[in-house]
């Protein structure tokens, strides 16, 4: 029997050239065991990688069962050498195993501080520095990616590629300082231990597919005792393994992925070309054709003549730079010059959809998932909401049952902290339509595993987490926001306990302002307050009877306490309360309940008659009563006359006028009595008092529309005693011109 041997294939973690070389090397070797750098916990699910329903990119997901947030992904694209090695072994019924340090040790080491966090990254190529970058620099290249692409990915004769990589990495490691982080030593010791075990089991031809940096450390299997001593007593935690869909965007450096690449979409193109990838002209033509198709799909100019010219330019650039074939940089520059005429916008589109790509993988139904993940997948299929990496807008008509269920599902996920959907623009309150931006992220699978502690279904988990958040909420308006989210997320089991809690909190609070905020506050996702939920709940077929009881009680307590919170307040508190009064008035009007309306108007009348009420609030109450036809113009004039009496400070009188005229000045234009009162009061002011209240009055008049200000000006010009400018003999034309220029500037800016 021939002696057992192991053959090391040092690779870059993602690259079509490396993947093809690995497939050819395995075919030539015909191994009886394949070992791949990866987590041994995944051995039980490796067979799924050859499942006909699996579509890369996907990732092995290993997580700590007691702390699901402690998780690590090992992403694979179809051009990843490890993926090709695993699927080759599975298709040829060859045993295949993962040989890296198990994550149950790595997670435990992270907890003790002996290893750096690996969350969301697969093993990197080097412990300290990028080895490809060092080799590229020595060879005169600007970066390691370009060097690897030209010398490895574009290589046609790859018979000796792995021995060359091994030699280069061996030389590079000799010049590297000994790493102080023991993590790499643990990993390589475990790999050698796995190799020794394979030899003991009698395997004769063992293929080892690992990151190029680790290849020299696996050549010799001497030092078994030292490795065992190093690995002895490593801590453990309980882990589980599953598969998760991945995206090309998450394979890039920009996503924070440590072993990322710059252009997964470009590499996918090279892999799809198959053996034709060695034909540089064919690759360039196909790529430029895809660029043209993409631009034309987005109504941008792109013809066959553009394709021909871009191919010629890319080949010319490669020749000028003495490159054997056009690389991605030449293709980008050619596309920018020919298709984009130097513009950045089309290039951003090309980069996003072609160079990076928007592909998202899929996993088979047999994949072991937590029940919450399984429930979500079933609902996504039932509601025809396939998760995609592309950001897309979904418009829902809430009169349709299926659309209401889709809306409820994305809201339930948001309550679980999984922001699959972001609300789009809503044109009006109470509309039948709703818009959402959907974009699936691979990290959502980790979020689902974390959320599994709340329940086994999306609705059940969202209900449990919502009730937990509500119980911990100390702010009444926050509790109202939670109630609104639960209503719109269709969580019937949460509504009754939430309303009981809201009722108790509202009953026990003595802060009328907080009650007003709770009644009128709008949630960012539902874009609705309690009042809107009660008014428009029929669109979603919500049971609003419990809301009506709570809202009625809140309105009663607001009306009882309104006068107290408006008494003896300063200017800042009065401004805050004025906004609350306006919002509450609108909310009660929206409810349309006569009894509530009567309570509210009675409370406003108390503000007008009471003493020690801030002028802004008294004037506002007078205006609201006028608008509701609960106060006559004569009565309003009497209250205004009292507010403008000489006994009142000018600033208090100005605040009263601000409250009265808030939002619109049309009625004083047409009401002679109110006009006369304000005009007379202004005429009695001293110069010093007038200068004090001018900023207050200007703030009031600034809220009027341009048309209203124009009518006020015309009324002043026509008032008795008004003189035209030219009739004044004492007019200083120079100073007047400067003032008019400033007025003109103010008016035009508005």
């Amino acid at each position: 029997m021939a002696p057992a041997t192991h053959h090391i294939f040092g690779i870059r973690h993602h690259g079509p050239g490396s993947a093809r070389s690995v497939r050819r090397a395995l075919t030539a070797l015909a191994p009886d065991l394949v070992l791949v750098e990866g987590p041994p916990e995944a051995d039980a699910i490796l067979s799924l990688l050859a499942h006909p329903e699996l579509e890369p990119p996907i990732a092995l997901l290993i997580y700590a069962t007691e702390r699901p947030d402690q998780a690590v992904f090992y992403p694979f694209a179809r051009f990843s050498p490890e993926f090709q090695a695993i699927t080759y072994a599975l298709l040829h019924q060859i045993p295949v195993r993962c040989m890296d340090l198990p994550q149950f040790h790595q997670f435990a080491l992270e907890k003790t501080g002996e290893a750096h966090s690996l969350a969301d990254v697969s093993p990197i190529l080097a412990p300290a520095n990028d080895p490809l970058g060092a080799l590229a620099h020595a060879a005169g290249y600007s970066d390691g990616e370009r060097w690897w692409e030209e010398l490895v990915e574009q290589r046609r004769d790859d018979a000796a590629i792995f021995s060359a990589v091994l030699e280069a990495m061996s030389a590079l490691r000799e010049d590297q300082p000994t790493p102080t982080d023991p993590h790499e030593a643990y990993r390589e010791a475990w790999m050698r231990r796995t190799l020794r075990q394979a030899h003991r089991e009698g395997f004769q031809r063992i293929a080892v597919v690992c990151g190029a940096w680790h290849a020299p450390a696996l050549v010799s299997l001497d030092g078994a005792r030292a490795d065992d001593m190093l690995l002895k007593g490593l801590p453990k935690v309980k882990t589980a393994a599953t598969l998760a869909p991945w995206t090309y965007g998450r394979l890039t450096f920009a996503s924070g992925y440590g072993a990322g690449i710059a252009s997964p979409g470009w590499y996918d193109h090279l892999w799809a070309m198959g053996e034709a990838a060695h034909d540089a002209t064919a690759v360039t033509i196909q790529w430029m054709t895809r660029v043209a198709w993409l631009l034309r799909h987005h109504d941008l100019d792109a013809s066959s003549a553009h394709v021909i010219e871009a191919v010629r330019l890319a080949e010319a650039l490669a020749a000028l730079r003495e490159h054997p074939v056009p690389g991605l940089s030449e293709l980008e520059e050619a596309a920018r010059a020919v298709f984009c005429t130097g513009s950045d916008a089309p290039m951003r589109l090309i980069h996003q959809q072609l160079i990076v790509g928007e592909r998202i993988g899929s996993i088979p139904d047999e994949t072991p998932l937590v029940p919450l993940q399984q429930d979500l997948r079933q609902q996504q299929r039932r509601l025809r909401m396939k998760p995609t990496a592309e950001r897309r807008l979904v418009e829902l008509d809430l009169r349709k049952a299926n659309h209401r269920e889709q809306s409820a599902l994305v809201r339930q996920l948001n309550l679980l902290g999984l922001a699959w959907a972001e609300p789009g623009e809503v044109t009006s309150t109470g509309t039948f339509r709703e818009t959402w931006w959907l974009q699936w992220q691979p990290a959502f699978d980790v979020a689902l595993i974390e959320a599994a502690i709340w329940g086994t279904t999306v609705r059940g988990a969202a209900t449990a987490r919502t009730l937990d958040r509500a119980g911990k909420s100390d702010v009444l308006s926050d509790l109202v926001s939670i109630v609104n989210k639960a209503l719109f997320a269709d969580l019937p089991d949460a509504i009754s306990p939430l309303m009981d809690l809201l009722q108790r909190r509202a009953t026990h609070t003595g802060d009328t302002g907080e009650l007003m905020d709770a009644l009128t506050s709008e949630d960012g996702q539902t874009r609705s307050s309690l009042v809107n939920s009660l008014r428009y709940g029929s669109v979603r077929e919500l049971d609003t009877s419990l809301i009506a009881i709570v809202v009625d009680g809140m309105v009663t307590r607001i009306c009882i306490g309104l006068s107290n919170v408006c008494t003896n307040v300063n200017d800042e508190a009065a401004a805050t309360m004025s906004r609350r009064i306006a919002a509450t008035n609108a909310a009660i009007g929206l409810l349309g309940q006569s009894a509530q309306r009567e309570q509210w108007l009675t409370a406003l009348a108390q503000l007008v008659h009471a003493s020690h009420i801030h002028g802004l609030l008294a004037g506002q109450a007078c205006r609201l009563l006028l608008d509701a036809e609960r106060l006559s113009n004569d009565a309003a004039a009497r209250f205004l006359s009292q507010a403008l009496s000489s006994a009142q400070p000018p600033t208090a009188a100005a605040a009263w006028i601000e409250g009265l005229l808030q939002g619109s000045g049309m009625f004083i234009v047409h009401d002679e009595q109110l006009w006369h009162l304000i005009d007379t009061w202004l005429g009695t002011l001293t110069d010093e008092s007038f200068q004090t209240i001018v900023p207050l009055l200007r703030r009031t008049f600034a809220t009027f529309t341009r048309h209203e200000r124009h009518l006020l000006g015309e009324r002043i010009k026509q008032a008795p005693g008004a003189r035209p400018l030219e009739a004044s003999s004492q007019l200083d034309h120079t100073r007047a011109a400067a003032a008019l220029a400033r007025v003109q500037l103010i008016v035009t800016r508005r």
Side-chain angles (χ1 to χ4, degrees):
M1 178 182 295
T5 58
H6 62 274
H7 302 261
I8 302 173
F9 305 121
I11 49 90
R12 187 186 186 196
H13 286 295
H14 305 290
S18 293
R20 287 195 182 89
S21 297
V22 166
R23 292 288 292 215
R24 295 192 192 102
L26 293 176
T27 301
L29 177 63
D32 50 10
L33 175 66
V34 176
L35 297 178
V36 176
E37 181 184 331
E41 293 97 327
D43 285 350
I45 60 172
L46 286 183
S47 60
L48 293 173
L49 297 187
H51 196 286
E53 293 180 5
L54 183 135
E55 181 66 30
I58 55 90
L60 299 173
L61 169 57
I62 315 297
Y63 61 94
T65 55
E66 295 181 358
R67 267 193 58 190
D69 61 315
Q70 193 175 26
V72 62
F73 289 102
Y74 289 78
F76 294 144
R78 59 177 179 170
F79 50 79
S80 299
E82 300 97 326
F83 179 78
Q84 290 300 321
I86 293 170
T87 54
Y88 172 88
L90 294 173
L91 293 175
H92 291 83
Q93 298 182 341
I94 299 171
V96 57
R97 302 173 186 170
C98 291
M99 62 181 297
D100 205 348
L101 181 68
Q103 280 296 327
F104 57 71
H105 284 321
Q106 299 197 44
F107 287 151
L109 290 171
E110 288 177 26
K111 291 176 64 176
T112 61
E114 292 187 38
H116 298 302
S117 174
L118 299 176
D120 203 26
V121 298
S122 70
I124 58 176
L125 288 176
N129 300 310
D130 176 16
L132 301 186
L135 292 172
H137 180 73
Y141 285 79
S142 59
D143 61 86
E145 181 143 339
R146 181 72 201 206
W147 175 84
W148 184 271
E149 182 176 344
E150 285 198 13
L151 271 70
V152 179
E153 300 298 333
Q154 297 177 359
R155 188 183 181 97
R156 299 188 181 186
D157 179 15
D158 57 3
I161 188 65
F162 294 113
S163 60
V165 168
L166 178 60
E167 182 179 353
M169 291 300 161
S170 298
L172 192 61
R173 285 180 68 119
E174 290 177 0
D175 295 333
Q176 289 286 318
T178 303
T180 57
D181 181 5
H183 179 245
E184 293 299 314
Y186 290 146
R187 291 181 61 198
E188 292 176 352
W190 190 278
M191 293 182 194
R192 288 190 292 267
R193 174 189 279 184
T194 304
L195 268 169
R196 295 186 194 103
Q197 179 62 31
H199 283 300
R200 285 194 295 269
E201 292 178 17
F203 292 104
Q204 297 297 303
R205 296 181 307 280
I206 304 171
V208 179
V209 180
C210 64
W213 176 259
H214 299 297
L218 306 181
V219 174
S220 173
L221 300 183
D222 296 336
R225 183 178 179 83
D227 287 346
D228 290 340
M229 290 296 296
L230 180 64
L231 298 173
K232 184 179 180 180
L234 288 182
K236 295 182 180 181
V237 297
K238 191 175 181 180
T239 59
T242 185
L243 296 178
W246 205 249
T247 66
Y248 277 173
R250 295 290 297 233
L251 278 176
T252 61
F253 292 116
S255 70
Y257 173 40
I261 54 178
S263 49
W266 163 246
Y267 278 2
D268 184 87
H269 172 71
L270 293 177
W271 180 260
M273 292 292 294
E275 292 301 322
H278 292 311
D279 185 344
T281 301
V283 170
T284 305
I285 291 174
Q286 287 292 330
W287 179 259
M288 292 303 179
T289 301
R290 292 182 62 191
V291 170
W293 180 89
L294 174 66
L295 296 178
R296 292 180 68 176
H297 182 70
H298 286 81
D299 298 324
L300 298 174
D301 187 23
S303 65
S304 55
H306 286 94
V307 173
I308 295 170
E309 186 61 28
V311 170
R312 289 175 175 171
L313 180 55
E315 291 176 340
L317 286 172
L320 285 172
R321 295 167 180 173
E322 298 182 350
H323 294 161
V325 297
L328 182 58
S329 59
E330 286 76 33
L331 296 178
E332 285 188 271
E333 292 179 40
R336 178 186 294 275
V338 176
F339 288 103
C340 308
T341 62
S343 174
D344 287 334
M347 278 307 302
R348 285 195 294 268
L349 181 66
I350 293 170
H351 184 270
Q352 177 185 357
Q353 298 198 20
L354 292 185
I355 297 176
V356 174
E358 296 181 335
R359 182 188 292 270
I360 185 170
S362 61
I363 57 178
D365 293 336
E366 290 83 348
T367 303
L369 303 173
V370 296
L372 185 61
Q373 288 176 296
Q374 294 173 349
D375 180 66
L376 176 58
R377 292 190 67 190
Q378 290 172 2
Q379 292 201 56
Q380 286 172 332
R381 286 195 295 267
R382 180 176 61 85
L383 298 176
R384 298 179 181 178
M385 299 181 71
K386 183 178 180 181
T388 63
E390 179 184 2
R391 193 168 187 262
R392 59 191 179 93
L393 184 66
V394 174
E395 297 185 3
L396 303 178
D397 185 342
L398 299 179
R399 293 169 293 185
K400 299 178 181 179
N402 185 66
H403 285 196
R404 286 198 300 272
E405 290 187 64
Q406 291 180 1
S407 173
L409 177 61
V410 297
R411 293 178 185 278
Q412 290 163 12
L413 292 174
N414 281 337
L415 287 172
L416 289 172
L418 195 151
W420 178 25
E422 295 178 1
E425 183 179 355
V426 177
T427 56
S428 63
T429 303
T431 180
F432 289 109
R433 299 197 175 276
E434 194 173 81
T435 59
W436 294 90
W437 287 100
L438 300 182
Q439 186 176 31
W440 187 261
Q441 301 288 345
F444 292 162
D445 285 283
V446 175
L448 285 169
I449 294 171
E450 291 182 48
I453 62 173
W454 299 109
T456 58
T457 65
V458 176
R459 176 175 276 109
T463 298
R465 191 181 185 206
T466 298
L467 292 176
D468 180 75
R469 288 181 57 207
K472 297 175 181 177
S473 176
D474 296 326
V475 180
L476 192 60
S477 58
D478 291 344
L479 182 56
V480 169
S481 175
I482 294 172
V483 170
N484 273 314
K485 291 176 181 178
L487 282 166
F488 283 74
D490 188 20
L491 302 178
D493 293 339
I495 300 305
S496 181
L498 283 175
M499 299 312 297
D500 288 342
L501 180 61
L502 181 59
Q503 180 82 300
R504 292 196 302 271
R505 296 276 177 85
T507 301
H508 293 148
T509 184
D511 189 340
T512 302
E514 186 180 3
L515 283 171
M516 297 169 79
D517 290 339
L519 183 70
T520 60
S521 62
E522 293 194 0
D523 173 66
Q525 289 182 356
T526 63
R527 286 179 167 82
S528 178
S529 63
L530 271 181
V531 173
N532 285 333
S533 298
L534 183 59
R535 177 67 176 82
Y536 298 109
S538 58
V539 177
R540 296 174 178 271
E541 300 182 356
L542 302 176
D543 182 5
T544 58
S545 57
L546 293 176
I547 306 177
I549 296 173
V550 174
V551 167
D552 187 66
M554 293 174 68
V555 170
T556 299
R557 280 184 285 278
I558 288 170
C559 293
I560 292 173
L562 182 63
S563 179
N564 288 335
V565 296
C566 295
T567 302
N568 295 324
V569 297
N570 58 25
D571 292 342
E572 183 180 354
T576 300
M577 185 54 63
S578 176
R579 291 191 292 270
R580 287 170 170 169
I581 289 174
T584 303
N585 184 73
I588 292 176
L590 188 62
L591 288 171
Q593 299 293 320
S594 58
Q596 295 171 348
R597 184 68 173 165
E598 185 64 28
Q599 282 182 305
W600 175 245
L601 294 176
T602 300
L604 291 177
Q606 292 176 356
L607 296 185
V608 176
H609 291 89
S611 58
H612 305 295
I613 301 294
H614 195 282
L616 174 66
L617 305 180
Q620 182 183 21
C622 183
R623 174 59 181 272
L624 294 177
L625 291 170
L626 272 170
D627 292 342
E629 298 182 354
R630 291 292 299 270
L631 195 68
S632 66
N633 283 12
D634 290 341
R638 288 196 300 273
F639 288 122
L640 178 60
S641 178
Q642 295 172 8
L644 302 182
S645 67
S646 58
Q648 298 291 342
T651 53
W656 212 100
I657 293 175
E658 180 181 0
L660 179 69
L661 303 183
Q662 213 170 56
S664 172
M666 285 299 294
F667 81 101
I668 65 166
V669 174
H670 302 292
D671 191 290
E672 185 66 35
Q673 192 174 14
L674 293 178
W675 175 278
H676 177 71
L677 285 170
I678 296 175
D679 183 55
T680 302
W681 171 71
L682 286 171
T684 63
L685 295 176
T686 64
D687 289 345
E688 182 180 356
S689 297
F690 182 76
Q691 291 178 12
T692 301
I693 60 101
V694 160
L696 302 178
L697 293 178
R698 187 180 184 281
R699 182 175 64 191
T700 301
F701 281 75
T703 63
F704 300 163
T705 65
R706 178 176 294 184
H707 176 64
E708 289 172 338
R709 293 199 299 271
H710 175 73
L711 292 177
L712 287 170
E714 291 296 321
R715 174 90 190 252
I716 292 171
K717 287 170 59 177
Q718 298 170 8
R723 293 178 299 166
L725 292 179
E726 59 271 12
S728 175
S729 59
Q730 299 181 355
L731 180 64
D732 187 332
H733 292 277
T734 302
R735 294 177 63 191
L740 288 174
R742 177 61 60 181
V743 170
Q744 179 67 28
L745 180 61
I746 294 173
V747 171
T748 54
R749 282 183 175 178
R750 292 188 177 280

